[in-house]
Amino acid sequence: MNVPIRRVAVVALALFLILMGAATWIQFVQAPSLNADGRNSRSLYRELSIQRGPIVAGGQTIAESVPVDDAFKYQRVYSQPEMYAAVTGYYSFRFQSTGLERSANEYLAGTSDSLWWDRFRNLVSGGSPQGSSVEVTIDPVVQQAAWDALGNQRGAVVALDPKTGAILALVSKPSYDPNLVASHSAADASAAYQALADDSARPLDNRATAGRTYPPGSTFKLVTAAAALEDGTVTTEDQIPAPDQLQLPQSSRMLNNFGGESCSPTGTMTLADALRISCNTAFAQLGMDLGPEALDDQAEAFGFDSRMSVPLPVTPSHFPLEVDGQTIDDAQTALSAIGQYDVRVTPLQVAMVSAAIANGGTLMQPYLIDRVRTPDLSVAVETDPEEIGTPISRSTADSLRDMMVGVVQDGTGTSAQIPGVQVAGKSGTAETTADAAPHAWFTSFAPADDPQVVVAVIVENGGDAGNEATGGRVAAPIARAVMEAVINR
């Protein structure tokens, strides 16, 4: 072979190898990410042409694909769309899917590795590809109770089984109709989506798990009390300072109790009584005595500042240990200890704190998918409850439970009382801005001696009560309705 021909052959071989390498890279390395990319219209059209699996709650189908006479062959349809929108999300050819439609897409579309046998069987038999059904942990009765109790107010409700972490209810308001965004008419879907995106009430936000976080107000006192009890320097019956006002260090600001009330005529009270009446000055001083690191450590043990999915994405809750690279000062620590300053949480995180207390100190991983069934109804995937950790000891959990029982018996949470059932709870009234009404919080569990359900409720800006709202007045009755739905089922 002469030199010119040899050079041409080498170049041709090199080009062939480069082509083979690129094809191999795309087919075997990039293929999964390309298929999962929401901008990939080929994947979307392929998915739309198969019968997507249903989403099922308590035996009720809340999302399914029905045959239609158009290019897509199947239309996604949502029953009780607004009540379950925070769970299902929407499946749209025009926009990226949300909710379980996105998080559980590999099951619903039948593309999960765990479903390979079904795909192989369809390939051999010539059968039409079909997605699997996703059965969620939501109890329709509990979901309905949470939806009805929140009414037309903005906010969220989360209910958990503290022993397993199963999510029993997940409600976010205002909500929306996923059917409108799932329309096969590009014009209709775009108009519906734009109207929702432009809505100042932000109905597309899942307020229960993500999209925004809130100041927790006095519900954070559970974390402060847990840190104090774990530290061992106080017990529930120890007297702690509880002045009418607290001078914040390095500040001219005075911290008052709610409504300017006095917590104790003696200026001291037990830790249990301080939690029962939600005394701000007592917990602010306690927070400074513990220090910001102890509060941050306890918050992280409950799950703050951790990335998590259920499998819906969950926005991490946050304790502000540092600001601009500096550890927060005493005044900032005092405010943080009562759930103000820059502490931020999701309702799910507040429920997780109560769930660890209800479960004797053990925190379970919250989860929304109970099992996945193939089209022939065999179980392909089943969730096993998973322990995340032990943020507090059993003795601390028992002490906090008893203190929370006091809150509902004759403290700030009496509106959560259920006749014949011992309820544990904690209220919160979180200041936001000077010109806005406070958020109303309540978290609770029942029965206190054998918890079946944990609830966290937030009503944004006091809901219908506005500036007159407190957590005990506005949010506690909602939590009670959800707990009753579980106990009476």
Side-chain angles (χ1 to χ4, degrees):
M1 182 182 296
N2 61 37
V3 173
I5 293 177
R6 186 185 308 122
R7 289 175 177 171
V8 170
V10 169
V11 170
L13 179 61
L15 291 174
F16 178 76
L17 291 175
I18 291 171
L19 184 61
M20 288 292 292
T24 302
W25 177 261
I26 293 172
Q27 289 291 332
F28 294 96
V29 178
Q30 289 190 310
S33 61
L34 291 173
N35 285 330
D37 194 320
R39 296 167 297 179
N40 187 339
S41 59
R42 288 179 180 271
S43 294
L44 191 56
Y45 277 98
R46 186 178 64 244
E47 286 183 12
L48 286 166
S49 66
I50 69 171
Q51 187 170 8
R52 190 172 174 82
I55 300 176
V56 180
Q60 301 178 13
T61 299
I62 57 176
E64 63 180 329
S65 292
V66 298
V68 292
D69 187 19
D70 66 18
F72 298 114
K73 297 184 180 178
Y74 292 98
Q75 169 69 59
R76 202 62 170 165
V77 175
Y78 302 88
S79 62
Q80 304 179 78
E82 294 193 356
M83 186 168 75
Y84 286 103
V87 176
T88 62
Y90 57 76
Y91 183 72
S92 169
F93 83 96
R94 185 70 177 83
F95 305 97
Q96 285 198 7
S97 301
T98 60
L100 279 181
E101 293 285 21
R102 182 173 185 175
S103 300
N105 180 63
E106 61 178 8
Y107 299 130
L108 295 168
T111 58
S112 170
D113 291 343
S114 61
L115 303 175
W116 69 270
W117 173 247
D118 286 276
R119 293 196 297 275
F120 177 74
R121 192 167 49 189
N122 284 330
L123 182 65
V124 172
S125 66
S128 300
Q130 191 173 346
S132 295
S133 64
V134 171
E135 298 178 5
V136 295
T137 55
I138 297 293
D139 184 322
V141 174
V142 184
Q143 182 81 356
Q144 185 73 57
W147 176 263
D148 292 343
L150 190 55
N152 294 323
Q153 302 171 106
R154 296 182 189 179
V157 180
V158 177
L160 300 174
D161 180 336
K163 297 174 183 174
T164 64
I167 297 174
L168 305 176
L170 191 80
V171 167
S172 176
K173 287 190 175 182
S175 188
Y176 64 96
D177 185 348
N179 289 303
L180 302 178
V181 187
S183 170
H184 286 180
S185 163
D188 291 348
S190 296
Y193 177 84
Q194 199 58 51
L196 293 169
D198 292 342
D199 191 333
S200 60
R202 299 171 65 176
L204 291 175
D205 282 2
N206 188 334
R207 288 166 158 81
T209 59
R212 63 175 62 191
T213 53
Y214 302 91
S218 293
T219 59
F220 191 79
K221 289 171 183 170
L222 293 173
V223 179
T224 303
L229 293 170
E230 286 288 288
D231 183 68
T233 56
V234 297
T235 69
T236 59
E237 297 307 314
D238 283 344
Q239 293 285 325
I240 60 176
D244 292 346
Q245 290 185 310
L246 182 67
Q247 174 71 59
L248 296 177
Q250 299 96 43
S251 169
S252 59
R253 180 178 173 183
M254 300 293 291
L255 177 66
N256 296 309
N257 294 304
F258 184 76
E261 297 177 352
S262 173
C263 292
S264 167
T266 65
T268 66
M269 64 193 319
T270 66
L271 178 62
D273 281 341
L275 189 79
R276 181 176 59 81
I277 67 169
S278 201
C279 181
N280 283 342
T281 57
F283 274 91
Q285 182 62 57
L286 186 60
M288 288 191 289
D289 294 343
L290 289 166
E293 290 83 3
L295 295 177
D296 182 60
D297 289 346
Q298 189 61 69
E300 287 192 358
F302 279 119
F304 283 61
D305 293 306
S306 296
R307 293 201 171 277
M308 184 177 68
S309 66
V310 293
L312 303 181
V314 179
T315 303
S317 298
H318 179 62
F319 181 86
L321 178 61
E322 294 185 346
V323 176
D324 297 330
Q326 300 292 321
T327 302
I328 58 175
D329 59 27
D330 285 347
Q332 294 164 336
T333 301
L335 294 174
S336 298
I338 60 172
Q340 296 290 169
Y341 184 51
D342 204 21
V343 183
R344 292 291 184 273
V345 296
T346 61
L348 177 63
Q349 176 63 72
V350 173
M352 289 171 64
V353 172
S354 290
I357 297 169
N359 199 34
T362 299
L363 180 60
M364 305 300 292
Q365 167 72 41
Y367 64 96
L368 193 53
I369 295 178
D370 193 12
R371 60 180 66 87
V372 176
R373 291 186 187 274
T374 60
D376 65 2
L377 300 183
S378 61
V379 176
V381 177
E382 189 162 17
T383 302
D384 291 324
E386 178 186 357
E387 182 180 320
I388 295 179
T390 308
I392 51 176
S393 66
R394 175 167 284 279
S395 63
T396 295
D398 291 345
S399 296
L400 288 168
R401 176 201 61 203
D402 293 344
M403 290 196 293
M404 293 173 71
V405 169
V407 170
V408 177
Q409 282 183 341
D410 58 357
T412 58
T414 54
S415 295
Q417 291 179 356
I418 300 174
V421 178
Q422 195 175 53
V423 176
K426 182 69 191 82
S427 62
T429 307
E431 296 178 3
T432 53
T433 58
D435 57 348
H439 297 323
W441 280 97
F442 200 79
T443 182
S444 58
F445 57 87
D449 59 349
D450 183 22
Q452 298 176 29
V453 58
V454 165
V455 184
V457 178
I458 181 171
V459 180
E460 288 184 10
N461 302 120
D464 297 337
N467 286 313
E468 302 302 317
T470 64
R473 176 185 172 192
V474 173
I478 299 170
R480 180 188 63 210
V482 177
M483 291 185 291
E484 285 179 323
V486 174
I487 292 170
N488 296 331
R489 64 185 176 182

